[in-house]
Amino acid sequence: MGICGTCKVRVLTGETVMSHNGGISEEEIADGYVLSCCTRVTGDVEVGY
Ligand code: FES
């Protein structure tokens, strides 16, 4: 549901669209992180930690 932050990963390549409920900070988003439970990918994506 985008609250706990457990599923946070960093998007290394590719495009994503995220709709979260506060489980990630604006700073983390600016650094390329997403919550994988509430993120859609729009093509090939590579993620890391
Ligand atoms: S924010 Fe809790 S599992 Fe994704």
Side-chain angles (χ1 to χ4, degrees), residues 1-7 23 35-38:
M1 294 178 62
I3 297 173
C4 70
T6 303
C7 63
L35 299 176
S36 56
C37 72
C38 52

